[in-house]
Amino acid sequence: MKKHSQTYNSEMFIDTFENTFTYISGFMRNVNRFSERNALTCPLREKTWTYPQLNAEVNRLAHALLNSGVVKNNIVMYQLLNCAEFLFLYLAPHKIGAISCPINFRLSSGETAYILDDSKPTVYFYDAEVKEVAQNALEMASHRPEKVVMIDITGKEEPFAGSVSYDAYVREFPDKEPAIERPSHIYDEVTRLYTSGTTGMPKGVPLNNINDIFSAHDVIMHFPLSPLDKTMNMTPWFHRGGLYSGGPNPTLYIGGEVVALRAFSAATVLDCVQKYRLTYLIGAPITLKMLKEEQVANPRDIGALKGIVTMGAPMEKNLCMECHKVLTKNIFNGYGSTEAFWNTFLRPFDLPKMAGTAGRSCTDDEMAVVKMFPDRLAEAHETVPKDNATVGEVIVKSPGKCAYDYINKPEEARKKYYKGWLYIGDLGTWNEQEYVTIVGRKDDMIISGGENVQPVQVEEALNEHPLVSGSVVTGVPDEKWGEIVVAYVIKADGGLTVQDLDEHCRNHPMLSRYKRPRLYKFVDQLPMTATGKLIHYKVRQQAKEDYTKGLLEKP
């Protein structure tokens, strides 16, 4: 790495910045300066933790992790619905130099086993609601964590053999600070998230202290967020958008209060807005629509709301205008990825005029729409015309929020990261003012209910059925879920039914429930290239037509 010379003695700055400008240092500042303020509220438990109380729980867990043999750079993995323990597990590894790794609680046993083997956690925590998935995953995985811990907010479930309850795990440990000075460097990985890979299996995305801090700063700037705010992210926290977009990451860094939502219900959310005087809600456009309908049917006092932030899909103009009337004038819409958080943003002054677009680049980011070449990635200057019509690939540069790598997947990293830019794989157009509009995906990914579904993974599962000789999977627009999965199947035997296929997918160990097809059509042939590759974009077009004509069959 090239050495730089300065006109001043930079040794103390470098030492201080690189070793103390960490996310956990920011949290600890709030423990000290906001000792009387609430950090976390769980409506289900009807319990609130102040910053010192939250810190005490985090310390108790940190000592338990040390006792389990967790050392620097070890993985602490947790598969949880939103709950207080999720925050304990997000923060405790930071205190001891370990890596916090939340994973999707909707994964199948096979997918969970894959991640266990990929990251090899020293300790694995599972939610009682996914107890069976966790137990099967551990049986399938080659790696065995040193300790397995169950978290049950009801107190009614018993851990399966070989695991212990969370209360038993932390009970004997003190709430004093762990005696670890400077647990991490600014470039050390402190958080690991998982996203879907091009082959359908998840990819580990490393995030360092700089990424965690500048993701928090980004939200603090764009909302803006203050220590007086109370936020509720209505999506699962294991997502980048759930953890970072007004979720625990920025709220605890600025000194605000996180109000946990275990499962989305429009009525529950609006009740919480009224009861706790929430200032920001964060979710997907579909959740906004449900909130609007619930507020019309059963009005609450939502006067404390400063804004609602949506992500995961474009905001329709009509929905935006309706929500302005019923919910708040301050509606935001962000676009991004697990790899680099959000990178373009629609602010309240952009709406409703620019609804349907993904906005312009965030304050610290750059965005471009570039040409596509069959044999190479485009250079950043090889852009398509800013005519809002010519389609290109959307690329972003986000040096503060992206670590530019995948865990154990150097080839995948080379395909996505180039000269400081992330090639997300989305297709879009842009205009003279650089508002980008997303029009599709290069890799045919389906997004259903905010979750990524790779067609190839579903196809592989379907093709394992002994009466299937071939299949192709795509998505069709759905008002509730954004998209739903559709499968075109060639029968190897005339007796095969859609009910057979549905049962096969429901019981498949490598297929999450949300990935199973909701609609089917039996066909005689599939669209393929001369080299035998499935042509997904043709299937997507056909599926839209078939859906409109009512030609697709439900199980």
Side-chain angles (χ1 to χ4, degrees):
M1 189 176 290
K2 184 180 177 182
K3 278 199 163 188
H4 297 276
S5 61
Q6 285 83 33
T7 58
Y8 67 100
N9 184 345
S10 61
E11 288 182 6
M12 187 178 294
F13 170 79
I14 291 170
D15 178 66
T16 305
F17 181 74
E18 292 189 350
N19 292 289
T20 67
F21 190 64
T22 59
Y23 181 85
I24 198 65
S25 295
F27 170 73
M28 289 306 301
R29 288 193 290 272
N30 295 329
V31 171
N32 296 320
R33 66 188 168 200
F34 297 142
S35 60
E36 78 290 355
R37 286 193 183 160
N38 294 338
L40 168 65
T41 291
C42 175
L44 276 179
R45 285 165 159 165
E46 297 184 333
K47 185 173 181 179
T48 293
W49 291 258
T50 63
Y51 271 89
Q53 288 168 341
L54 173 57
N55 187 52
E57 294 292 347
V58 170
N59 287 342
R60 193 172 287 112
L61 174 57
H63 284 289
L65 293 172
L66 289 170
N67 186 65
S68 294
V70 175
V71 296
K72 188 174 178 62
N73 294 332
N74 279 181
I75 300 295
V76 177
M77 186 174 290
Y78 45 110
Q79 193 168 21
L80 305 177
L81 283 75
N82 298 355
C83 60
E85 288 81 0
F86 191 111
L87 293 200
F88 307 163
L89 280 157
Y90 174 57
L91 294 166
H94 283 252
K95 290 207 170 194
I96 59 176
I99 298 167
S100 159
C101 183
I103 66 171
N104 190 339
F105 60 79
R106 297 179 177 134
L107 294 175
S108 68
S109 297
E111 292 166 317
T112 302
Y114 174 87
I115 293 176
L116 287 167
D117 286 338
D118 190 51
S119 275
K120 297 178 172 56
T122 306
V123 187
Y124 166 57
F125 297 78
Y126 66 91
D127 198 294
E129 288 199 25
V130 296
K131 179 178 172 180
E132 185 179 346
V133 168
Q135 186 170 15
N136 292 339
L138 288 165
E139 291 172 359
M140 295 170 69
S142 299
H143 173 73
R144 181 70 184 179
E146 292 295 320
K147 204 77 175 177
V148 178
V149 183
M150 183 190 77
I151 291 169
D152 175 25
I153 69 166
T154 68
K156 296 176 182 177
E157 284 286 336
E158 289 294 324
F160 56 72
S163 64
V164 299
S165 72
Y166 182 84
D167 288 344
Y169 183 66
V170 302
R171 186 180 297 132
E172 303 301 322
F173 295 97
D175 61 7
K176 65 182 182 181
E177 294 296 325
I180 298 178
E181 189 178 355
R182 294 184 167 188
S184 63
H185 185 275
I186 57 170
Y187 301 141
D188 283 346
E189 182 185 6
V190 291
T191 305
R192 182 177 298 180
L193 303 180
Y194 270 84
T195 185
S196 296
T198 56
T199 60
M201 296 311 292
K203 294 180 293 189
V205 177
L207 300 173
N208 57 43
N209 270 303
I210 291 291
N211 300 149
D212 263 22
I213 289 172
F214 279 97
S215 295
H217 280 197
D218 206 271
V219 172
I220 292 164
M221 260 194 307
H222 285 88
F223 277 28
L225 202 60
S226 85
L228 301 179
D229 283 313
K230 299 181 180 184
T231 69
M232 175 180 278
N233 192 304
M234 302 176 286
T235 68
W237 288 342
F238 62 77
H239 280 297
R240 187 82 188 258
L243 184 54
Y244 292 82
S245 177
N249 167 273
T251 307
L252 296 179
Y253 196 80
I254 194 65
E257 180 179 352
V258 176
V259 180
L261 180 70
R262 189 162 175 84
F264 177 77
S265 153
T268 300
V269 170
L270 291 172
D271 286 344
C272 286
V273 173
Q274 179 171 277
K275 180 176 181 178
Y276 299 106
R277 310 301 292 163
L278 301 182
T279 56
Y280 284 101
L281 297 175
I282 304 92
I286 182 59
T287 58
L288 202 63
K289 183 174 185 289
M290 294 180 198
L291 290 174
K292 184 259 303 180
E293 292 170 352
E294 175 63 25
Q295 180 66 4
V296 169
N298 302 290
R300 292 9 177 243
D301 176 6
I302 58 172
L305 267 183
K306 292 182 181 179
I308 301 178
V309 183
T310 66
M311 54 190 176
M315 170 71 69
E316 294 177 3
K317 191 169 187 177
N318 287 342
L319 175 60
C320 182
M321 293 171 70
E322 291 170 5
C323 291
H324 276 168
K325 294 176 186 176
V326 176
L327 298 172
T328 175
K329 289 287 186 184
N330 291 325
I331 293 175
F332 309 73
N333 187 239
Y335 158 77
S337 62
T338 303
E339 291 86 343
F341 191 35
W342 60 30
N343 309 112
T344 68
F345 207 62
L346 282 169
R347 297 163 174 83
F349 58 75
D350 292 314
L351 296 167
K353 182 181 178 182
M354 300 310 296
T357 76
R360 291 187 279 198
S361 58
C362 294
T363 303
D364 293 331
D365 297 352
E366 297 176 56
M367 180 274 301
V369 184
V370 298
K371 298 173 183 176
M372 292 179 285
F373 300 96
D375 56 348
R376 67 176 177 88
L377 296 174
E379 300 292 337
H381 67 270
E382 295 177 308
T383 57
V384 301
K386 297 178 182 180
D387 57 7
N388 217 29
T390 307
V391 176
E393 181 174 3
V394 179
I395 63 172
V396 297
K397 181 183 280 187
S398 184
K401 296 177 289 185
C402 182
Y404 296 100
D405 198 15
Y406 293 122
I407 298 299
N408 302 326
K409 288 181 171 56
E411 286 301 318
E412 291 278 356
R414 278 191 281 273
K415 293 175 186 176
K416 289 284 188 177
Y417 305 112
Y418 178 62
K419 295 185 177 179
W421 291 83
L422 167 62
Y423 289 67
I424 299 175
D426 288 330
L427 305 179
T429 63
W430 59 344
N431 66 11
E432 285 291 339
Q433 291 75 44
E434 296 194 350
Y435 284 90
V436 65
T437 300
I438 307 302
V439 300
R441 288 280 307 173
K442 279 179 72 177
D443 61 6
D444 308 302
M445 185 170 69
I446 303 160
I447 302 178
S448 182
E451 300 284 3
N452 295 346
V453 181
Q454 290 289 353
V456 65
Q457 185 188 10
V458 185
E459 290 160 3
E460 288 172 355
L462 285 169
N463 292 343
E464 289 175 14
H465 193 290
L467 302 185
V468 171
S469 65
S471 67
V472 63
V473 167
T474 187
V476 293
D478 180 77
E479 185 176 340
K480 182 177 182 180
W481 300 109
E483 286 184 293
I484 54 175
V485 181
V486 177
Y488 287 79
V489 177
I490 299 176
K491 297 181 181 182
D493 182 283
L496 181 66
T497 67
V498 296
Q499 287 75 23
D500 296 332
L501 293 173
D502 188 58
E503 184 179 357
H504 171 74
C505 290
R506 284 177 182 273
N507 297 321
H508 198 285
M510 298 301 292
L511 204 63
S512 304
R513 288 294 180 95
Y514 67 86
K515 296 180 181 179
R516 65 184 174 85
R518 296 313 200 261
L519 297 168
Y520 290 88
K521 186 177 181 181
F522 291 114
V523 293
D524 295 325
Q525 59 183 12
L526 305 174
M528 291 188 175
T529 65
T531 57
K533 291 183 179 180
L534 291 167
I535 308 174
H536 283 91
Y537 76 87
K538 286 190 176 181
V539 181
R540 184 177 285 267
Q541 293 168 358
Q542 184 63 47
K544 286 181 181 178
E545 293 177 17
D546 289 344
Y547 185 57
T548 302
K549 294 175 181 177
L551 300 177
L552 302 175
E553 187 177 354
K554 290 183 180 180

